[in-house]
Structure formats: C-alpha cells, structure tokens
Amino acid sequence: MITTAVRNALRTRGREPAVLCHTGAPESARVPLERLPLGPADRLVDLDTHPMGESVLGEQEAGLVAVVAATTTDLHRAVTTAVHLPRAVHVVVALVDTTGLQEPPIPAAPGMGQWRDVQEVRVRRVGRRGWLCELFFPNAVEAAEVLDAVMHGTRGRRRGPAVAPMAVLSGHEGALWRPGDTGVHGIEAAGPVPLRRVTPVGDLALRVGAVRAPEWADTAVPALDRGTTSADSWTAITGATARAREVSGADTAPVDERVHAVAPIDELTVNPTGFSRVAGGRLADLTVHGPHAVVREGKKDLVTVAADGTVTDVDLARLRHLGGVRVDWSGHTGPSAAVRAVASLAAGGVPLLSGPVPAWAGGLGQALTDLITGAEEADVADPLRREEYSVRLRRAALRTHGHRARWRALGARAGVPLPPEPTVSVILCTRRPEMVGFALAQIARQRGVSVEVVLSLHGFPADLPEVASAIADFGATGVPLTVHEADADQIFGTVLNDAVSRTAGDLVAKWDDDDWYGPEHLADLVLARAYSGGELVGVGQDFVYLQEVDLTLWRSRRSEASTRFIAGGTILTDRAVLEEVGGFRPLPRAIDTQLLIAVIRGGGRIYRAHGLGYVLRRTGGGHTWSEDMSFFLHDHTRQWSGWCPSTLLEGEPAPLGQHVTEYTGGLR
C-alpha cells in the first residue's frame, strides 16, 4: 500500500520535483521507495545519513514530500532532519510498523493558522500495525511541521517538557542527539550561528562528525564537538592505533566525559512502556550474527540492531516475552554503537546480564555497569525480582543516557545557563493527628526531586504535642513546609483545593497519610511524566497490606501503560492540568476517581508507572475509597504473612516526632 500511495502521488504532483525519504531499517523503509518512476529533478534521501546544515532542494518548493519510517522511533528522529526538507503541497508520511501501544498518528494542527486552508487529510492503516497519512494543501507548507504533527498525534495531547538548551546542529548523525525537534537549525561546521533579527537561533552548537571540525567562528554561541558512532572503531582498540589511544587516555578519561560522548537515547519512544511480567521466560543474547549486532533467541534473530546502536520501540516490543538478555561484548558495529544498544535495552526495562564490561565501554556509566555485572540469572527468573531489577536498570539508563539528561550535561559543560528542574508540591491532607509523623517521614526521605509540602490538618490544630513534634522534626530536614488548619466540617475536596492554592511547585503530587512510599517514588513519577506523554501519572495498587489480617499481597496489575485508574495517593500532575479540569470536586469521597474522569473527559492521558515503591494500607474502615477485604484477596499473584513490601521500598522510615508520642502502628 505504501508503494502504491507514493506512486499515485508521483503521478499527480505536477511539474515540481518530488523528494522521497526513508529512515530506519532499509529493508522496511527504503524498499517501498525503490523502483519508483523518478524524474531527473526528483530526490531519494536517506534521512539517517543526511547531514545537518545541508538543504535538500535549497529554496525550491516540492510538489511532493514522502517520508517512510520503519518505526515511530525512526520517525521521531527524522523530524529533526526534516527541517532541511522543502515546503510541499502534498506530504505523505508512512509508518511501516508500530507497537500498537501509541495513539493512531492523526495529525495535530500546528495551532497558528498554518493549516486553515488544508484541503484533505487521509489516515489509514497499512497491514496490521502500520499507518499511512496523506495531507493536501493548496499552498506549500513546511514538511517538518507535518512530520511533527503526525508524530505528535501518536502521543496524544501533551508533548512533554522541552529539552534545553536550544541547539543548532552540524554534520552527520546530528538527529541522534536531538530527535523530534523542529526548532533545531542546521549550520555549517565552522559556524556562525544564524540570527533571527538580533538573536541567535540557538544557545549551543553541537558539531557531530567523524573528522576533526574546523575552527569555530562564532564568539557568542559556544560549540561542542562529538564523533559519530562510526568515528571510533575496533581498529582503534585492537589495531595499530591502539597504543596511541592508550597514551591519549581515551579509555581512562573521566567516566562523565565518556558517558557524555555517547549519543543519547530518545526516551520519548525508547522507554519501559509495554513492560510485561514474565515468569520463567527464556534468555536471549545480544551478540553478532553475520555483519550485524542482533538479539538472538536460540537460532532466531528477534531484533537486528541498527549500525548506530539505535534500538526502537518496535524492537523492545519484540523482546517483552523474554526473561532477559545476555550481553556479549565481543562484537557489535563499533564501541559507541554497542554502548548505545545496551543502554537502550536498559532504558526499555529489558533485564540484562553481563560479564565484566570492557574498558572501551566505559561510556555506559558506572551505575549501569554495576547493575548489569552484578545481576544473576536468578534475578530474572523470579517475576518480582525481575521487575525490581528492571526498574533499577531503567532508572539508571534514562537518568544517564536520556536526551534531556544529556543536553543538560552538555549545556553545563558549555557554560550555558539552564532552566531549573521542575519542583514538586506534595499535598497531604489528614484527619488523624497520630499519622502526621508517619506521613511526613515518608516525604522526608524522597530523593532525586526538589520537594515542598503543604500539610492540611483537617479538624485539629498544629499545636497538638505529637503534631508539633513531627512538624519540628520535618522542619529540621530543610524541606519547605506550609501548615494549613482546615475546619472539621469543610468538605474534603475543598480542603485539597485550598492546599493546592498554597503550593508553589510546577507539579502537584497527592499523598495519603497511612500508605508507604519508597524514597524514589516521586522521582520515578517525574521520570514517567517525561517519557510517557501523560497529563497525569501515578501507580497501581501492586502491593497491598491488609492490616486486619496482617497480610501483604502482590497483585496482578499491569504497569507502564496508559490506563483509566491509578491509586489516588500517588497522583502527580501539572498545575496547569488541575486548572484545566477545575481542580478537585467539592465532594467528601471519591474525589480521586472524579479527577481521573475529568482528565480523560478533557482528552488527557493517564499513565500508570511501576507500583513497586508504594504499599497501600487497608484497615477495617476510615477510607474514602470503600472496598472490602475480599476485593483485594480476589486478584493477587502472591501473598506473605506480615508487612512484606518490595525491596524498592527500602524499608520503613521511623515516624517523625516519635520522641513525644510512641507510634504503635494502629489507625483510628
């Protein structure tokens, strides 16, 4: 169907030239464009090798621009290179394969009137999981805008936080470093950075090339140089140049420098979404078969890794049934490509096993190296231990190799001022003075995020001894705390809205007073917010402690997926989202459910991250969500006597203020 659609478009494109582009695996993306009847002025472009800074047709417009992408990951990368494609009146965008977990690629109009005169838009399936989009305009539009709109359609309404600093790129593989950014400008290797009136179009220039870049000609915008994934080679490690490499200290450079020399991972498409629990799954091997690095299960190649080390969202979907992947360091296309492939699998949550990591792979980073070399087959054989290990891997990979993290590191290295990381305002509303110290202790140990707390005391004063002592202990941590005393007869929903009005953070997180939270609970949610595209994120009730019978349940809950329900005590969302839905409804109960419904009704997406760092406590009564014990006993995978959380919870902190009133664990 893709070939037929492009052939028909070629017949109707008029006298203007056509530009046919492909990105991703050639056997998937290039083949549909081969043997098509091209004219002398037409162009066939490989977007994966086209250098940034080089226009495809100059100032000339095209009658047709067609882009065939093997996967969503490849399309997202191509959006950056597409800034060099010409304007066109007819644009065809084809996705050969998808995971089926994203939304249909229905284009979202840019929003500034550029498409008000669009004549026709067609979106149709190609095979089981492919898509084809065609757009017709009476006047030529920017092709990059169309690709961006199609890509945006796969993610729903929200784009996610922007990547800073603003960048300009030069050379081959520039798009690997900045996927999905139509604000990027391509430049000549020597510069300078062009101006928009009196302002440079970027704050940092990145020159990606296999050879030494020329002297940089711009004094206003700093430049950094990085090699392509083919710039390093096995001959540089084992051949005649190995001694020179050793003398230069290339393999003994500081770890951070070696990490930041590796092209980052596109976490918007390469992430844990779609992770599945597997019991007794087989192990495959990341190794070399023929000229390619592959993930091989027995005699079957499940995934062929791209030469630059890119692992796509579709590749990850093909590996979800495995128990894990063993890493063979003896091959791969090249050193940088090998590091990117391993880091990408880890970012996707694929459990990895490895022997000693060679010195040339130091760019993997110490955190990932320690994890994959410290894991054993027993860690991936048990479903719970496997998921715990997967969470640790994805944390390390995304925080080390994600493109947001990489660009912040590049900006810091170049001395470019960066916007602050988002701050999280935790709202804690409680009717139980005896639980204040318990809840504050959970918040006090959060790490990896900047936190403030608004504590709403619903129906009791702050000067009660146990409350005052807990507040004093929390104040000693240095975390900002605002205490609000609400009248006992005030409706719960309005108390929460009052709490939100007292917050100052970019994000708002809801906290329950009697549940347990791991120290990376908030950091994991902030990370999920960045890669999921969700307006609201949270976790499920994977672990439940039934206090009446002293029993812990691990439940069969799907995680890392879009959903209609999450645990109310784990809600994290942007302040703007709360404003859009009108805040919490003025109700005494079911307010969390009502918020979720409002977000969905407004076109937003709810995303459920892993739930291993959270334990829901159930007692005989006193909960705003009323389900009896049988509801939880009906559907669970395992159970243990006593309080037995995941190891990711890292134990239980001592309640604050204990020196005034001893905590007994009971609830009213």
Side-chain angles (χ1 to χ4, degrees), residues 175-195:
L176 283 183
W177 289 82
R178 195 77 175 203
D181 192 347
T182 58
V184 161
H185 286 253
I187 59 169
E188 297 291 334
V193 175
L195 301 178

Side-chain angles (χ1 to χ4, degrees), residues 433-442 464-474 516 617 652-666:
E434 73 274 16
M435 297 306 298
V436 171
F438 173 87
L440 289 178
Q442 311 287 322
L464 291 178
E466 65 266 41
V467 177
S469 180
I471 291 173
D473 284 359
F474 188 83
W516 289 270
R617 186 202 304 252
E652 179 181 22
L656 301 179
Q658 253 192 153
H659 50 280
V660 169
T661 176
E662 189 69 23
Y663 173 71
T664 63

Side-chain angles (χ1 to χ4, degrees), residues 22-25 46-49 52 70-82 147 151 173-181 266 269 306 308 310-312 340:
H22 58 91
T23 177
D46 182 351
L47 292 178
D48 295 334
T49 61
M52 295 298 298
T71 68
T72 308
T73 299
D74 301 312
L75 178 61
H76 197 227
R77 182 177 63 253
V79 169
T80 299
T81 316
L147 264 66
M151 182 66 207
E173 293 190 353
L176 283 183
W177 289 82
R178 195 77 175 203
D181 192 347
D266 178 9
T269 61
D308 58 19
T310 295
V311 174
T312 71
R340 288 196 75 233

Side-chain angles (χ1 to χ4, degrees), residues 39 50 76 135-136 153 174 219 285 388 413 452 557 566 604 609:
H50 187 81
H76 197 227
L135 299 95
F136 302 83
T219 59
D285 296 278
E388 290 171 338
R413 182 177 179 82
E452 68 157 5
R557 305 290 291 176
I566 59 170

Side-chain angles (χ1 to χ4, degrees), residues 285-630:
D285 296 278
L286 176 62
T287 184
V288 172
H289 185 230
H292 302 290
V294 298
V295 179
R296 191 168 177 82
E297 181 185 11
K299 296 183 178 181
K300 181 179 179 182
D301 292 343
L302 301 177
V303 167
T304 299
V305 180
D308 58 19
T310 295
V311 174
T312 71
D313 55 334
V314 172
D315 294 335
L316 292 173
R318 292 171 180 160
L319 305 178
R320 292 301 184 196
H321 68 284
L322 296 173
V325 172
R326 292 178 291 240
V327 179
D328 174 11
W329 292 102
S330 63
H332 306 283
T333 313
S336 292
V339 169
R340 288 196 75 233
V342 173
S344 297
L345 292 174
V350 177
L352 301 176
L353 304 172
S354 172
V357 174
W360 54 258
L364 194 63
Q366 197 62 52
L368 268 180
T369 298
D370 291 345
L371 283 169
I372 66 175
T373 56
E376 301 176 351
E377 290 194 15
D379 294 313
V380 300
D382 177 80
L384 178 55
R385 289 176 63 182
R386 175 180 176 272
E387 187 171 358
E388 290 171 338
Y389 176 48
S390 170
V391 171
R392 294 187 178 100
L393 276 178
R394 66 186 76 156
R395 284 173 177 168
L398 291 169
R399 294 170 186 170
T400 303
H401 292 281
H403 75 298
R404 286 186 178 83
R406 182 73 84 254
W407 276 93
R408 291 188 70 85
L410 294 176
R413 182 177 179 82
V416 178
L418 299 170
E421 294 280 17
T423 55
V424 181
S425 296
V426 177
I427 55 172
L428 168 61
C429 177
T430 178
R431 285 186 176 275
R432 299 176 284 203
E434 73 274 16
M435 297 306 298
V436 171
F438 173 87
L440 289 178
Q442 311 287 322
I443 303 173
R445 68 171 181 161
Q446 295 300 298
R447 59 179 181 244
V449 288
S450 177
V451 176
E452 68 157 5
V453 181
V454 174
L455 171 63
S456 293
L457 307 177
H458 197 180
F460 59 91
D463 58 4
L464 291 178
E466 65 266 41
V467 177
S469 180
I471 291 173
D473 284 359
F474 188 83
T477 68
V479 177
L481 173 66
T482 299
V483 180
H484 165 231
E485 296 180 3
D487 293 338
D489 58 354
Q490 189 175 355
I491 298 174
F492 186 35
T494 64
V495 175
L496 289 176
N497 286 329
D498 285 348
V500 172
S501 71
R502 288 168 166 80
T503 62
D506 306 295
L507 311 175
V508 176
K510 186 171 175 290
W511 205 273
D512 280 356
D513 62 357
D514 57 346
D515 297 334
W516 289 270
Y517 299 82
E520 299 210 39
H521 168 75
L522 288 176
D524 285 344
L525 291 184
V526 172
L527 192 64
R529 166 185 174 266
Y531 65 69
S532 70
E535 276 76 11
L536 186 150
V537 296
V539 307
Q541 298 118 351
D542 290 27
F543 275 83
V544 178
Y545 176 63
L546 303 177
Q547 185 166 299
E548 286 183 293
V549 291
D550 193 24
L551 193 68
T552 301
L553 307 178
W554 183 42
R555 305 176 67 218
S556 301
R557 305 290 291 176
R558 184 184 179 192
S559 66
E560 301 298 345
S562 296
T563 183
R564 303 184 72 86
F565 182 78
I566 59 170
T570 69
I571 287 172
L572 181 137
T573 190
D574 292 53
R575 176 184 302 278
V577 173
L578 286 174
E579 293 174 355
E580 289 172 3
V581 301
F584 294 96
R585 289 187 63 186
L587 299 171
R589 61 179 62 248
I591 53 173
D592 301 328
T593 302
Q594 291 300 311
L595 178 62
L596 303 183
I597 292 172
V599 170
I600 294 171
R601 187 183 295 123
R605 181 185 303 184
I606 297 169
Y607 187 83
R608 181 190 293 158
H610 79 87
L612 302 187
Y614 170 72
V615 178
L616 175 75
R617 186 202 304 252
R618 297 301 294 186
T619 59
H623 299 281
T624 57
W625 178 41
S626 55
E627 293 287 354
D628 60 25
M629 191 185 305
S630 63

Side-chain angles (χ1 to χ4, degrees), residues 141-163:
V141 299
E142 297 288 347
E145 276 188 358
V146 177
L147 264 66
D148 182 53
V150 172
M151 182 66 207
H152 185 196
T154 68
R155 294 182 55 76
R157 189 178 64 172
R158 182 174 175 271
R159 286 182 176 271
V163 178

